Amino acid sequence: MDERLAVELIARARAEAARLAGALARQRDGIVAASEFTSNDDEHDPEGVTIAFERAQVQALLRQAQDDLADLDRAAGRVRAGVYETCERCGESIAEDRLVALPATRICITCANKAPR
């Protein structure tokens, strides 16, 4: 894969992940702010469990988006190091189609299929 194309793919994926992380952070902040005006008694508040669940769910999605950003930053480092297309497990090439679909991937499809589920 051309280095310029790899950088572009990673940049696009990173911009999308950053946009998602920002939206999720705003959503989390909104949930936290809204919960300040409700009862802290989740046991007796019919909405308490829902608010706690919603906050936890958004926080988990935000954490995943932040992890995706870190993975994409590592992918950019692999491009700079000249090893972007090399599988970290077996050392074989990662197919260009796989890198287009998953710009942050570090392993080839063969190794991915061997991974425990």
Side-chain angles (χ1 to χ4, degrees), residues 13-71:
R14 194 179 193 299
E16 179 61 24
R19 184 200 61 74
L20 178 60
L24 288 166
R26 287 187 298 278
Q27 186 176 0
R28 181 210 49 212
D29 294 347
I31 293 167
V32 169
S35 69
E36 290 176 4
F37 301 109
T38 63
S39 168
N40 289 330
D41 185 8
D42 285 357
E43 183 178 335
H44 297 99
D45 181 359
E47 292 299 314
V49 175
T50 303
I51 292 169
F53 174 78
E54 186 178 356
R55 184 177 52 234
Q57 185 178 29
V58 169
Q59 185 61 40
L61 291 170
L62 176 57
R63 195 171 311 116
Q64 180 60 54
Q66 291 166 336
D67 290 347
D68 290 347
L69 286 168
D71 288 345

Side-chain angles (χ1 to χ4, degrees), residues 72 78 84 94 96-107:
L72 289 160
R78 289 196 317 277
Y84 181 60
I94 301 172
E96 186 171 330
D97 288 345
R98 180 165 170 77
L99 291 168
V100 169
L102 302 167
T105 193
R106 300 180 331 256
I107 59 174

Side-chain angles (χ1 to χ4, degrees), residues 78-100:
R78 289 196 317 277
V79 170
R80 289 188 298 276
V83 295
Y84 181 60
E85 295 178 70
T86 304
C87 177
E88 288 185 356
R89 289 192 186 159
C90 70
E92 295 296 321
S93 290
I94 301 172
E96 186 171 330
D97 288 345
R98 180 165 170 77
L99 291 168
V100 169

